[in-house]
Every structure is written in structure tokens, then in C-alpha cells.
Amino acid sequence: MIAPRIFSMLSPISAQGSSSSGEDAAKKAYGSGHFGEWMEDEFSLPAYRYTCNQINDPKAVTEVTPGIFAATEHVHQIGNDRIIALASNYGHVRVRQDEGSPKFLNDYVPENYQFGGGFGYLADGQEFLTTFYSESAKGFDRIFGIGYFRKRVVSETYTVDQVISAPFGDDPVLLSQVTITNHGKSPAELRWIEYWGCQNYQFSFRSFIESWSGVGSPLELRRQFSKRFANNFQQVDGGLLGAKNFLGRAPEEDAAWQRMKAALAAHPTNFVGTIGESAPDASFEDLTPPAMFLVSLDAPADGFATDGKAFFGAGGALHPDGINRELNKNLNGAGDDSAMLLERRVHLKAGESQTLYFLYGYLPHGTELEPLVARYCKSAATAWKNSSAEWKKRGMRFSVGSEPWIERETIWNHYYLRSSLTYDDYFQQHILNQNGFYQYVMGFQGAARDPLQHCLPFLFSDPEIVKSVLRYTLKEVRPDGSLPYAIVGHGVVAPLVTDKSSDVPLWLLWTASEYVLATRDKAFLDEEIPARIAQKAGPEKDTVRNLLARCFKHQVEQVGVGKDGIVRMLNDDWNDGLVAIWAAKYFEECVEQGISVLNSAMSAWVFDFYARMLSCAGGNSGLAAQAKQSAETNREAARKQWTGKWLKRAWLGPTLGWLGESTLWIEPQPWAILGGITTPEQGRALAQTIDELLRGPSPIGAMQMNHGPDMLTDNAFAAGTSCNGGIWPSLNQTLIWALAGIDKGMAWDEWKKNSFARHADQYPEMWYGIWSGPDTYNSIVNKKPGETLNNPYFHGTDLPVLNLHSHACSLYSASKLVGIEFLEEGLAVAPELPVQTYKFEASLVGVSKSMGAYEGWYAPSQAGTWTIKINLPKEVISRITKAEVNGKSVDLEKSQDGLQLQGRSEPGQRLRWRIS
């Protein structure tokens, strides 16, 4: 277990220093890095104690473009199933809300007297404390926790302990809990002023496109757009309610947009194409943002104000001019310098403490304020504790006795993944956006393959989340079976060239098939799904079964095959940059004639898996046979691309020819092993080659390609970055899966290499990669290894955290380490790992190893009798003498590669097995 450290027992940390000396570093938990240390909080959950003084510590600086995040700003995510908040090391919090379009409700713009929110001020008329970070404070503790951000600031006389938390569940609220302690010798008359800002910042893809016309950066255009809204405040019981009215667009902004549309229609780029007409109810931006509120829960507010400029004045957030004045109870703060400020008066005796509670949030359509507030008035005092208890019992657990950091990281990854859920009211589903740089900086939800990857770990713990993401994606299926590459704003298909991709339906077929096989929820296939993408032709709704068949038909007939029977590339496959970068000068030729060995290798596995699901579900024997035949056709075509060491990557057309003849590209290789393209001998040789060229040289996971002739050296995507030889969790989860069937030791090593703990150990002076990360790291080929992509076109360092691949891939690949595979008749596991003991635990399935025994369970949603295939090395099989199913001894059925057991499960009653 993680050594418990209770926050309330911590001594204050000097804001002038940092716990980063060599001696202190040696005492930290593994994977803590330079900026703080991992700990266990009072709820026995992992948390990160952030100790860096980012203002004076040069290691805190990240190379960023002037934008929404500062060079020394490091953020932590607070969230539940509806709301996301980004907690800054500076103490403020920005709240994201997605209905209407993704946006921040409270931007951080000091020049507009907007400072995010989630902090406040304690004043007694002589001195004041603030939970906005100040390097001059005597003590300032910051804890990044599961579902919360905790700040404690201490002076000679007072302590303020503030917790901003997102209550577990689907409520669009944050709770601010403020405990004030008077440790002076005299009674004190105190004021607490709670602050939340009001300026929205929409992650507008329209602004991103407009910026190319030279009228301003996306940041500037988005903030200009935010000024086109007026605030209207009203006093409500306990606090304030604020609404926004759209004033219309500035004429010059509309003109710039029309110019950009005309320019792209005439000359599409290799990234953005023609901007077509969207559905009538779709839009790039939200013109009717939801109302926001701030209320005092435990007692009435003693004062309020809405004029941020008047309160902050020249002193700003650290020394507001209005700190010693009563709030003016004025509701006229209509401009872009508006604020929501509530005052509470507190009388404390010497040594006395009091806790205040505030509720901040927004009102989705149809949600009423009074019942929401009433619920939290009753539960405020226990909400944080109850929320932590919910997080503690949810999700997947993977623990290894000899390496306790693994359990910590698994719990943390589950939290970060689930707390990234938001609600898309256009598709009326919860969605796991890729987030990170793509959403917060570029402003789009894509690619469509990504939410499907991100939801896979929830197969084991929260299948309803998987079903929500599937419904979201199924609503995007077009009449021809294709899927949009990305969605922006409120249901707008992103006008990207990559929209003509060749692989996206494969990911839907994979995820839907795995959902049905894992849960046995066959009824889902007959659920009717309404179409939500603009339809030129096609039914308004269709069944899941038919929509999947439409996607399969699209892959086989419309994507089709090209040279050598290999699946066509079109504008992109998984590697969105391959055609645009390697074939930039011959783009049209490549799109017309290019082929992707990756697509064929992946199709071989996905089509077989789809056929397996159809056979299990029944009623589609003809389609299942067709899918199996298509899998075999792809398998045979891909086999012919074996170079003697690996599979080729892609053929870009007659002018450019082949990629992957003399350079090892990782993308198709794991699928070749998984899909039976390689022989067992070839698979073992391929694994060794990957180890030699891609894995062995890299301390933090396999590189996407080796330093060979295909790696570009004269491109903005520098060697060793991104799709030019970077390190990708999305690719390495499939590699781990493939290696687990060949060499468990190598797979285990690769899984650990891709962890946050390993990145923090190898690159401790880099803040990202400790508690969250990007979708790609630079490899050792690059002059800045361990960092992320930052070039003129893609400033990934502007927000190098919160990308869900960095959390989801570790969780899903852990299930593949222990060999979990869903079959028509049940489940297969390969439970041997090169450790003495471990446990993989989730509500659907569990697998564990102890001294002399292996055991597990399976609990699908439907009752049934299931076969459990247990694949083990021969020397282990020879030692197995006992087997139990549901507590009763059974006869052993041994085969060359494992054992087979049968047993029954019922809803609420697992099928349990044990061998020893």
C-alpha cells in the first residue's frame, strides 16, 4: 500500500522553496518527479502534493505560444460525469461546459479583471489571506486529488483550507468548501469573499480557421467573440444567478469568415477543406450559453457584487483594491469585467474553526436551480467525503505486490479518464473527447476513432459509458457507412481533409463487437439509433446491427483495395499526417492510388472479431461468413508485404513508391501478429526486431519508427517527434497486446515503460508526464526527448496534458497483459506474468495470481453457462492439480496450451474459478 500521509498533518511549505533536493527526491514515492510528490490522502486515495514555486523555479517553464495557458502554469483536472474544471498551480479554476459547444465559463484574462474562479479572500481589516497562489505567503500547500483541488494558506494568525471538488455523478456543479481557523490569541471578526469569474471562452474551430486569414490568432478571435455577450445578474436565495445575451457578431468578423469560406472553396489546404452547410440545429459556437450561479449553502450571504473591475482594481488578484470595502450589492456588472462575488462574515474565538460551503455551476436546459441547491444544502458537509468514497469503489484495479506504484497509477488513470466525460446535447450522449491540445487549443472533437479507444477500459467496470460513446458514434454514421473525422462546436462536421479517412469505421466495428461479446448485451444490436449528421439520403433511424453492417460494407466496397489487394489509404489511416506530410507534393496521386498495409492488417483482426460477435449474437450468418472471408482476404494480401523482417507500411503511389521497406514503422506490426498474418516464427522474430530497433533504445516506450531512410529530417515535424518517430501510447497499447502473446516479459517491460511513473523517473524536471500527459512524446532521436511536439503548425506544449490516450491506453493494455479475450462461448485469459503476485479487478472480470494459484471471475449482464479458457506455459500447466468453479471442485481439462473450465453466472452472481 501507499504510505498514508494525511493533509491536515502536513507542515506548511515555504513558497520560496521546492522539495526537490537530492535528499528529498530519494524519499519521494517512485514517479513523483521534481514538482511535488505522490501521497495518499485521508480517503486512502492517491493524490499529488504540488510543492514547486513555479514563479521562481526555472524548471517550471514550458515553451508555449502566447495563449490561454501561461508558460509556468501546470493544471490538474477536477471532474465528474458532466463538468470538467482545470485547476491551476496558481490557485484558480477554469470550468468547462459542453452543451451548446465546448467552452470555459470563466476565462482567465487579467487585463479584463477576469481571474478564472475558485479562490477567495479572508480579511480582518488589518491583514488578508488569499487562496490565489502567492510566492510571498508564509505557507501555501496545494494538493491535486481525485475529484478535488485543495489549497491551504497559513499566516501568523489564520489558516484557510479551501477544497474545490466535483461531486461524483452527473450534476453540473462544483463545491467550494472553505475552513477558516483562528489560531491567534484573540477572537476575530472576519470576512470571507468567494470569487468566480464570468467571461466565457469558446473553443471555436471557426476562430481557428479564421485566424489563417491574418485577422488575429485563435485566442484573440475567441476573446473578441466573448465580448459579444452581455451579462445579466439577479439575486437568488443564497447568492447570484448570471445569464448571457448575445449582442450579434461584429461586421468585420462576419466579413473575415465569408472571405475564408470563399478562399477554402477555391483552394482547399492539406488540412482544412471546403466549409459546407451544416444541419439547421448545428453551429460552430454557442449563442445561448447556460446561466451560471454562485450560492452560499450553509448560511445566507452577507454581501455580493458583480463588478470585477471595481473589486480588483489596480491590485489585481493578489492585492484587490476592494478587499477592505464592503461589497456594494450592485447587480449592474454587465460588461466583460463582470464577476460573481459573495461575502460571508465569520466570528471566531481563539483556536476556533468554521467551514463555509459554496456551490458554483451552470444550468443545462430544463434544470432548475432551487432543487439543485436544496440537494447540496443537505449534503454539503459530507459531499467531498461521499464523492471520494464513490471514486474509491469504482473502476478497474491493477495491483502488483512488488511495485505499489502500479495500483496508484491505475486508480489515477481511471479517475482522469472518467472525469473527462462531458455531455453533448446535440448527440444527447456522454462523450469521452480526446481533449488535451486538440480540444482546448485547436477546438475540435476528433478523430472519431479516439472516443472509441478511450471508452474500451470501461468495458470492465462501467459498460454504460461504452454504450453511450457507441450511441454517439452510431448517430454519426452516414448513409454510405462512412463516419466524420471530427465534430466541432454543436454538431458541425469539421471541414477537414482527413474527413475522407480509410479506417474510422474499423474502430466502431471493433468497439461495438467487444461491447456485445464482453457484456452479452445482444439486445443492444436491435436498438434503434437516430441519425444526427446531415443526411442527403438514408433512413432517419436504423438499428445498431444495420448501422454496423453499413460500416462494414463501406470498408469493403467503398474504401476497397488497391495495388496488391491492400486496403486503400484515401486521405489518411491512423496516421493522419502520413499523406499530408510524406506525400505533400503528390497529394492527389497518393489519395487516388495509395494503399495502407496498416489498414489491411487491422482489417484482418477486426473483421474476424466482428464475425465472432455476429455468430455469438445470431441472425447474421451470411454477414458473419462474409466478414470472415474479408478478414482472410486482407490477411493474405498483408502477408505478401513481409520484407523478411517486418511488414511494409504504405505505398504512396507510382511516383513516391513504398514506405517501410528499409525503415520499421510500428503501426501495422502488432496487428500483423494479432491478426495471424505472421507465422509464429515470424512473430517471434518481429518482436525481437521491434525490441532491438524501437523498444530497447527508448526509456519510455517504443518509438513509432526507427531512425531509418523514411524518417524525415527536413520537415517541420522534426525527427523523433509525432508521426516522424515519436512515442505514442495509442500505438504501444496494441504493441503490448501483441507482445503478451509472444514474450510476457517484454510485454510487461513495455507496459511499465509507457507509464507516468517511468516518464517522471526518466524526465523528472518535466511537469507533464507526471500526473497527466499528451498523446505523443519525443523520442531519443529528437534533441528534446521526453517532451512533446512543438512546431510552427502544432504547438503541443501549449497544453501538454489531459489527452485521454495517456490514461486510457494504460488501462486497456493492462487487460491484455493478463490475456483477457472475449469469445463466442465465454472468456480466455493468459494469467501468467513475470511477477509473484498481482490482481486485475473490475466488476465484469477479474484475474489474479498468488503463490501457487490463479483465480478469477466473469460477470456479464446476461445469465449463461460460459467456458473459461486459461492459457498458460507448459511448465505451469504440468504443476496444476486442482480446479474449482463456483466453489466446487471440478475435473481438469488440459490441452497443450492451457486448461478449460465451465460454469454459470447470473446477474449479481459471478462465475468464479480457481486453479492451483
Side-chain angles (χ1 to χ4, degrees), residues 99-162:
E99 294 96 328
S101 77
K103 67 183 77 65
F104 282 139
L105 293 175
N106 57 333
D107 196 7
Y108 182 81
V109 196
E111 58 268 29
N112 279 7
Y113 307 96
Q114 296 287 345
F115 299 96
F119 61 90
Y121 302 88
L122 181 71
D124 66 359
Q126 302 296 319
E127 66 169 303
F128 76 91
L129 289 178
T130 177
T131 53
F132 188 93
Y133 181 73
S134 169
E135 62 173 329
S136 62
K138 177 184 176 184
F140 204 121
D141 286 329
R142 288 159 289 178
I143 300 291
F144 297 160
I146 287 182
Y148 68 89
F149 176 34
R150 190 172 191 177
K151 302 169 285 181
R152 187 179 68 161
V153 60
V154 181
S155 72
E156 295 290 340
T157 314
Y158 309 112
T159 297
V160 178
D161 185 349
Q162 183 179 27

Side-chain angles (χ1 to χ4, degrees), residues 399-441:
S399 58
V400 176
S402 58
E403 302 189 66
W405 64 268
I406 290 173
E407 182 178 15
R408 176 194 78 207
E409 188 154 316
T410 304
I411 294 169
W412 188 262
N413 279 331
H414 170 263
Y415 163 69
Y416 251 72
L417 188 60
R418 178 157 185 170
S419 66
S420 297
L421 276 170
T422 57
Y423 186 75
D424 187 307
D425 62 338
Y426 184 85
F427 291 95
Q428 298 181 351
Q429 297 295 332
H430 285 86
I431 178 67
L432 284 166
N433 197 325
Q434 184 174 181
N435 293 329
F437 173 88
Y438 300 96
Q439 179 65 89
Y440 291 98
V441 180

Side-chain angles (χ1 to χ4, degrees), residues 240 300-305 326-329 341-345:
L240 296 167
D302 297 300
F304 64 86
E326 289 190 8
L327 299 185
N328 60 21
K329 298 185 178 180
L341 294 149
L342 292 185
E343 179 178 329
R344 289 282 303 278
R345 294 174 187 166

Side-chain angles (χ1 to χ4, degrees), residues 751-764:
W751 188 85
K752 292 194 291 184
K753 277 189 170 186
N754 282 271
S755 66
F756 289 124
R758 177 64 67 86
H759 188 277
D761 180 66
Q762 294 293 314
Y763 303 103

Side-chain angles (χ1 to χ4, degrees), residues 1-5 29 38-41 44-47 404-409 411:
M1 292 296 294
I2 307 161
R5 296 185 180 129
W38 287 105
M39 54 173 275
E40 187 175 271
D41 68 13
S44 299
L45 287 168
W405 64 268
I406 290 173
E407 182 178 15
R408 176 194 78 207
E409 188 154 316
I411 294 169

